[in-house]
Each structure stands twice: as structure tokens, then as C-alpha cells.
């Protein structure tokens, strides 16, 4: 229990843990310690799964961020999904839309569905009417396994290119996710504007702080341009402050007024070409940036997920990365439990000690999430619509 606490909560490296145990008179081999730390016992894995499902059920919206990580020396991607009650970690080989759907489904086996939503998405993606006509012979409105879809594509479309194949799989996976029954489906993702996040959920909200960083990256050399940028940034953060105030006192009249003010702010032309280009890009994201006007309970930034990513980054800096699939699972499991106990006000040390001893006096983390979610009502705007 102490080893787990030190390694996952305190970010101590294995050599430091061995030194600590030696200091207190406990002789422990590096091999034994490595085996303990690289395998997440089944009860902890089950509790992580329960935490994630309870967290998804606790609100219709979720924060999402990603950071690079390494497994056995190979680059992989760590996804962080969270809200005010929990944080969950999932490491996958890729960071494409299929992997994102896998994460939102708790890494259960992939399923695909071919229905009106699927074909509409593929039509918007530019697939030809001829190819869409062939795809319509797939079993409609049924959940199909990845093996079944792959076999069908090989038989019916043996010359299909990888790009089109990937588009078809993505569209089928997203449609199947939206049709999920029995497992919570995220209604809104609060994330950055990476392409893989688009279209996965009904709605998408963008982080105002992340958007503001794009302006910070401008480096005007002319003092006049510097003054234009500084003046615009003052108006940018002034509008951000008005949105923060709106969250505490939302009204339809104020929502309409802020929408008009957004258009006025992000339609101006300053004459500084780089700044004007950046302003136009922000204007194009109006719907995602102003989701708060419809859902005042969502934050204006994605800081909780970015802070969650820092835990993995610090761990990565200390220990570089796990070497096995079991080690990867242990990192994800215990990072989830460490972060979630902190949010719930539970001592991770006492939690691990309680579970290792089998006392079970510390309540189920999933039950705590359910209790606190009822009090917070994180989906008020969805409930009232």
C-alpha cells in the first residue's frame, strides 16, 4: 500500500521508494517492487471502471484533453476525461477519432452502426454517391463488430483506399456511440479545436483560454501593431469577464446581447493582417465558444483537463513510461483513483490502505460521485430544455 501511494500519489521514482523502504528497515528487491507497481489488482481496475461510468453519468458535459506518453519506448497518447467530481485516464496507441470514441466508451470492444446519421456524415465528408450506394447494402441500424465490418469491406470494396476506409469506420463508430443504450453518452465535450474532437458529440464547447493563447503567439515588430494587439486583447478578456458574470446570472436577454457583442468584437478589421486573420478564425468558432450562453453550468476554459494532463507529464518525467500493457493499465488506473480521491476529498493513502486490507470502510468512489452530482446538478440546462 505504501509503495502504491508513493509511486502514484507522490511521484517518487522506484529507486527512491526502495531507498525509503531500506531507510525504515524493509528489504525489498527492485524486481518485486516493479511487479507490484506494474500490475493494477482487479478490484482497483473495477473501481476505476465504476468511477468512470459514474463520472459520465454525473453530467452531460465533460472536459477532455490529451498529452503524449510512452509505452515501452513507443509514443502513445493519454486521454484525460473529467468534470468537477472525477478525472479518468486512458492510454491508446493513437489519438484519432476512433480512439476517442473508444475512450468515451470505456475501451469496450468497438461497434459500428450504419444509419441515416452515418451516411449524412459520409456525404459531408465527400464520399461519392456510388460508394455511398454500395455502403447502403450493409445491415441497417444494427451494431456490427469491427471484424464483421472489415470482412464486409474486404469482400464488397477490395480496392477501397485507407483514407476512405478510415472515414467509413469513423462515421460508423460515432453513429454507434450516439445510439448507445445502457452506457452514458456524452452530450457536450469541452476541449480544444483539434479535428478529431469534431462531430463525436452533439455539441462541442471550446476553451477561451486556449483560444486566447493563439493571440499571444503573434509577435508584431512594429509598435503600432503591438498597440493594436494589446488593445484587442484587453477587449478579448473584457468580453471573457462578461461571460463569467453571465454564468452566475443567465437570462435570455443577456444571452442575445452577448451574442451580438461577440459579432461586433470579432468582425472588426484593424489593418494588422496577422491579427485580422486570427480574429476571423475566432469568429468562425462562434457556436463552440458561446455554448455557455445555452449551458451556463459549463466552464469557459478547459483547465481541469489540462491540470489532469500535468499529472501524467510529471509522472512521465520521473519514470519515462511503463514497459508493458499491464504497466500502462496500472498507470491509467491509479492516476484515475489518485485524481478522483483528491476531488472527492478522500485521502488516497487511507483509500488504498482500506482496499488492500479489505476493510471497505471508505465508501465506493462511484457512490460518492453520484451523491455529489445530485447536489451540484451539473446538467441543469439540459434538464430544463
Amino acid at each position: 500500500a505504501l509503495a502504491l501511494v508513493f509511486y502514484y500519489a507522490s511521484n517518487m521514482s522506484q529507486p527512491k521508494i526502495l531507498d525509503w523502504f531500506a531507510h525504515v528497515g524493509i528489504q525489498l528487491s527492485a524486481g518485486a517492487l516493479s511487479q507490484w507497481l506494474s500490475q493494477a489488482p482487479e478490484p482497483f481496475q473495477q473501481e476505476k471502471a465504476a468511477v468512470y461510468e459514474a463520472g459520465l453519468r454525473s453530467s452531460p458535459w465533460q472536459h477532455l484533453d490529451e498529452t503524449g506518453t510512452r509505452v515501452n519506448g513507443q509514443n502513445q497518447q493519454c486521454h484525460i476525461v473529467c468534470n468537477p467530481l472525477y478525472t479518468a485516464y486512458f492510454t491508446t496507441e493513437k489519438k484519432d477519432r476512433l480512439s476517442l470514441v473508444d475512450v468515451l466508451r470505456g475501451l469496450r470492444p468497438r461497434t459500428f452502426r450504419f444509419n441515416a446519421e452515418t451516411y449524412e456524415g459520409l456525404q459531408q465528408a465527400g464520399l461519392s454517391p456510388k460508394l455511398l450506394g454500395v455502403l447502403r447494402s450493409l445491415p441497417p441500424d444494427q451494431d456490427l463488430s469491427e471484424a464483421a465490418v472489415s470482412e464486409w469491406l474486404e469482400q464488397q470494396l477490395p480496392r477501397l483506399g485507407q483514407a476512405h476506409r478510415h472515414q467509413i469506420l469513423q462515421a460508423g463508430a460515432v453513429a454507434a456511440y450516439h445510439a448507445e443504450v445502457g452506457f452514458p453518452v456524452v452530450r457536450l465535450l469541452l476541449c480544444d479545436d483539434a479535428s478529431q474532437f469534431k462531430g463525436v458529440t452533439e455539441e462541442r464547447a471550446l476553451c477561451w483560454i486556449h483560444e486566447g493563447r493563439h493571440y499571444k503567439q503573434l509577435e508584431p515588430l512594429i509598435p503600432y501593431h503591438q498597440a493594436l494587439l494589446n488593445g484587442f486583447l484587453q477587449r478579448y478578456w473584457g468580453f471573457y469577464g462578461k461571460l463569467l458574470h453571465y454564468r452566475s446570472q443567465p437570462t435570455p436577454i443577456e444571452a442575445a446581447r452577448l451574442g451580438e457583442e461577440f459579432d461586433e468584437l470579432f468582425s472588426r478589421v484593424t489593418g494588422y493582417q496577422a491579427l485580422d486573420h486570427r480574429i476571423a478564425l475566432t469568429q468562425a468558432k462562434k457556436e463552440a465558444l458561446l455554448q455557455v450562453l445555452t449551458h451556463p453550468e459549463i466552464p469557459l476554459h478547459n483547465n481541469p483537463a489540462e491540470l489532469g494532463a500535468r499529472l501524467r507529464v510529471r509522472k512521465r518525467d520521473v519514470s519515462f513510461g511503463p514497459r508493458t500493457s499491464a504497466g500502462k493499465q496500472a498507470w491509467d488506473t491509479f492516476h484515475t483513483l489518485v485524481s478522483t480521491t483528491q476531488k472527492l476529498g478522500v485521502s488516497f493513502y487511507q483509500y488504498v490502505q482500506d482496499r488492500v486490507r479489505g476493510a471497505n470502510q471508505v465508501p465506493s468512489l462511484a457512490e460518492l460521485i453520484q451523491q455529489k452530482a445530485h447536489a451540484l446538478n451539473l446538467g441543469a440546462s439540459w434538464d430544463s430544455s
Side-chain angles (χ1 to χ4, degrees), residues 322-342:
R323 297 183 180 180
T324 64
S325 296
K328 176 174 73 173
Q329 187 177 47
W331 277 42
D332 288 345
T333 296
F334 287 107
H335 279 171
T336 297
L337 297 176
V338 168
S339 299
T340 300
T341 52
Q342 289 176 347

Side-chain angles (χ1 to χ4, degrees), residues 38-183:
S38 64
Q39 296 181 3
E42 184 67 24
F44 289 113
Q45 296 177 30
Q46 293 174 355
E47 186 141 23
K48 182 218 173 176
V51 161
Y52 187 49
E53 183 169 351
L56 292 178
R57 292 190 187 280
S58 67
S59 71
W61 58 271
Q62 307 290 334
H63 290 280
L64 176 67
D65 197 14
E66 298 173 340
T67 187
T69 190
R70 292 174 71 83
V71 178
N72 197 27
Q74 301 299 313
N75 291 331
Q76 295 199 15
Q77 200 72 16
C78 178
H79 310 258
I80 299 92
V81 186
C82 66
N83 71 16
L85 299 173
Y86 83 104
T87 301
Y89 293 78
F90 296 90
T91 300
T92 63
E93 293 184 3
K94 300 178 180 179
K95 66 172 184 177
D96 58 0
R97 192 172 286 116
L98 276 175
S99 298
L100 177 57
V101 173
D102 290 343
V103 167
L104 294 178
R105 299 183 66 250
L107 300 185
R108 291 175 295 143
R110 288 176 177 172
T111 58
F112 302 85
R113 181 173 283 245
F114 294 86
N115 54 20
E117 179 189 349
T118 314
Y119 298 122
E120 181 181 354
L122 289 173
Q123 185 176 12
Q124 292 176 355
L127 262 68
S128 67
K130 180 179 179 180
L131 181 53
L132 287 173
V134 177
L135 290 173
R136 290 183 188 278
S137 62
L138 277 160
D141 291 312
Q142 296 181 25
D143 285 338
L144 305 173
S145 68
E146 187 168 18
V149 174
S150 296
E151 182 180 358
W152 188 93
L153 291 175
E154 288 294 333
Q155 292 177 353
Q156 303 298 323
L157 298 165
R159 296 184 180 180
L160 185 68
Q162 284 299 317
H164 281 160
R165 180 188 180 89
H166 199 60
Q167 286 178 318
I168 292 168
L169 291 177
Q170 285 185 145
V174 169
Y177 173 60
H178 290 168
E180 282 271 8
V181 176
F183 193 81

Side-chain angles (χ1 to χ4, degrees), residues 366-379:
E367 292 179 1
L368 290 175
I369 291 172
Q370 294 170 8
Q371 294 170 9
K372 297 197 175 208
H374 181 72
L376 291 176
N377 193 15
L378 296 172

Side-chain angles (χ1 to χ4, degrees), residues 21-34:
F21 275 109
H23 179 71
V24 297
I26 300 176
Q27 297 300 318
L28 188 66
S29 71
L33 178 62
S34 179

